[in-house]
Amino acid sequence: MSAISTHSATETTAKTPRWARTRHAHHFRSHEEEFDACKLGMWLFLTTEVLLFAGIFVAYAIFRAKYPEAFSKGSHHLDWRWGGLNTVILLISSFTIAYSIRNAQTNNQVWLRRNLLITLICGGLFLAIKFIFEYGPKWAEGKRPGNLFLYPGAENPHEPIWWSIYYSATGIHASHVVIGMALIFWLYIRSLKGTYGPKHYTGVEVVGLYWHLVDLIWIFLFPLLYLIH
Amino acid sequence: MSTHDEHGHDHHEGSYLTPRGGFLSTVWAWMTTVDHKKLGVMYLAAILTLFFVGGVAALAVRTELYSPNREVTREITRDDGSKETVTEITGQLFNAGTVISKPVIDSEGRALATDGKPLEEEIVGPDGTVTRRTRPDAKPLVEKERVYTLASGNQTYNRLMTLHGAIMVFMVIVPSIPASLGNFFLPIMIGAKDVAFPRLNLLSWWIYVAGSIFAVVSVIAGGVDTGWTFYTPYSTMTDADHWRVVFMIAGAFILGFSSILTGLNFIVTVHKLRAPGMGWFDMPLFVWALYATAIIQVLATPVIGITLLLLIFERLFHVGIFDPRMGGDPVLFQHFFWFYSHPVVYVMIIPGMGIASELIGVHAHKKLFGYRSMAYAVLGIAAVSFIVWGHHMFTAQGELAAAVFSAVTFLVAIPTAVKMFNWIGTLYKGSIQLNTPMLYALSFLFLFAIGGLTGLPLATLSTDMHLHDSYFVVAHFHYVMMGGTIIAFIGGIHHWWPKMFGRMYNEKVGILGCLLVFVGFNVTFFTQFFLGTRGMPRRYASYVDEFQLLHQISTIGSYILAIGMLVHLLNFVYSLFNGPKAPPNPWGGLTLEWTTESPPIEHNFHHEPLVTHGPYDFDDVVPPHRSPEEFPLPEKPADAH
Ligand code: HEM
Ligand SMILES: [Cu+2]
């Protein structure tokens, strides 16, 4: 098959970088087909993620409509500055991971690694802020979900529900950040071996898509939880 | 020209079943295989095993229902003439009892503490009065005792029933056809070497195993009694079952991932890996069905994912989202649950419809009537399935919502009827072979018609008020799930058995099994329509005496059904070891799997196939590996172009 013979023609000497030696899996007809398939697969997966969060958003909408008072009181306990800072951090990380794809395309291995690393650090910062400055103090003050709620200053009987929604939504989102970081770490390790380069950046591309989604979900969570009172 | 040349395989590579190396390395090779065929076979084995377990639970449930449970108090006369009243429980076959703790009392009637001394001590006050008080630091000594009461027996019944439902829905019917036959045949039917993401396929298998382990652990530890639907507040409040409920729900949650990944894999495979010459409307209808199913799996399963996750949060941390005491809403759970679980009933039935199309086309050897409308109909069913979930909660929503949900539910009947008439149209003037697969296809048509039609009185508001939560619903969904999906599944296994394992099964025994299953099924479940209309509610361990005859008939039917299943099992086991070798194309089918060897080679095809005819062009093409003498083409009129 023609597509395959082009690959067989590639020199496989020790000097050839790893990305140029990568062959497509045997059940695809060409590398392009494999790339398209992986992208379609990731888009479908992102659809499932959107639907997963849709459930949370629906719960949010229903309880907000039911207990507007409690939600307004509750959201006043969140500091928009921490949320805002985290939004900026995630936006930067989205930019750097997008740029790492470009780096792979132009075979800029140094900046490919750097950008992946920066993305990773941004993810870590996001989690650190979330846990150290938000979850930690709130939990300590008794602003906890449902039955665990102990905060003495509650002004509305349904505030525990607000905190349930808050912790569920941001907690599930945070677990996605962790998964995304694990994937980016994996990309980083592989990039050290020169796995990604022009035409062979499927991994970076699909993880990048995933990371954008994690970012996008936060973009929805931030105003809904922090800004609307 | 073939890709095998570049990969260095020769043209006589062995069947995918050929073991390589010793026993352990073969086992390891299967555990880590990315071959869609081996994964399909492993799923098949796991699903049939769980089907067996769920079936045994069902027989236990039916046996329990053979007679009503009663607590009878009567007076007996002892040998010495003294009289005594005793209380007995009758009609209860299974009673695991409940453990109660009661304080240990010494001979003087004092409760003891854990250190063996009396729990209370006496204090003599300064004025000489004696007061009793519990010694500080002393803990009461209790002994645990298992008691067998009417209630504990009913509890056992509830657990068996939940075990049956949860296994059959989450571990058997939902993955049944797609994960086993679908995995095996979807790539071959479109001329591909594998699914798009073979390693993801392996992952999805292991996720399935992990999810099943969670559920099985929960069952072995005592099981849960929530019913397969896990309705709140019950599922968040049954404290006797504490962590087992969490395990069972976590199992269902994990199984959902497996379902999503399989669906995602199938969609990409169908989009990207069709052989040259195969357009969308050249695909076999089984592939169409799997495609529509996969879309539902991908779009609906995440919603049950988040629902079960919230349910676990609720159970573990009492977050209150479904708890009315905290302002939560238990009916919200039902909405979330059915938003997934209604579409998922089509995940169950659409692959069965796909199999029915293959069986009827091949074994009636006739071009399928209305091919395109068949493909559009499954897509239509898939689309409508997302907007009808409210028909499970007619009694728990506003009148307007109920009316709307009722109206859209009727829409489902349209594409379903299109399919029914197309199948019957195909049978008309076909050269019907009355073998096991065809008999199963005919059973499918008959049983699914009853199941679908009884959905309509349930979708009608006024009648559903009476039928809701009665045995009528039980009979309805068994007619569609068992009479539809499982019947098609068994038919499909017979149809593709020679291809999968390279051996023929015994046709006479297969037909005998099919007849037993058909008769047993109808005796079991048709009676339940009568039970339902007469007011027998579902999920009860006991009933008033008037229902006993119908229950007994139903139970006897279930035994006949079980015998039929065992006949099939023996037939398959015998065939695996002693069956005659299967030819590549025993039935004269035209789809691509019949061009391969039986069983197929590791990469399915020696050369990438080129598709030049439709899947059911029986009037124009002689089936591969068969001769025109065996399958003569119809004479064409002289003026044909
Ligand atoms: C063909 C058209 C169908 C219609 C109009 C229909 C309608 C309904 C309605 C209205 C109910 C709710 C009854 C109640 O609880 O009061 C119901 C229950 C049910 N249906 Fe169907 N149905 C159809 C097909 C199917 C199919 C194909 C399946 C599965 C393969 C299925 C599986 C179920 C199940 C499992 C339940 C009961 C769930 C439970 O409460 O445990 N139905 N159906
Ligand atoms: Cu439904």
Side-chain angles (χ1 to χ4, degrees), chain B residues 338 341-346 385 388-392 409 476:
Chain B
W338 287 112
S341 293
H342 184 78
V344 111
V345 306
Y346 293 98
S385 73
V388 301
W389 78 90
H391 64 214
H392 294 272
T409 301
H476 157 70

Side-chain angles (χ1 to χ4, degrees), chain A residues 152-171:
Chain A
E155 296 164 69
N156 186 294
H158 293 119
E159 263 178 59
I161 287 261
W162 150 265
W163 290 109
S164 297
I165 296 279
Y166 167 77
Y167 280 104
S168 305
T170 56

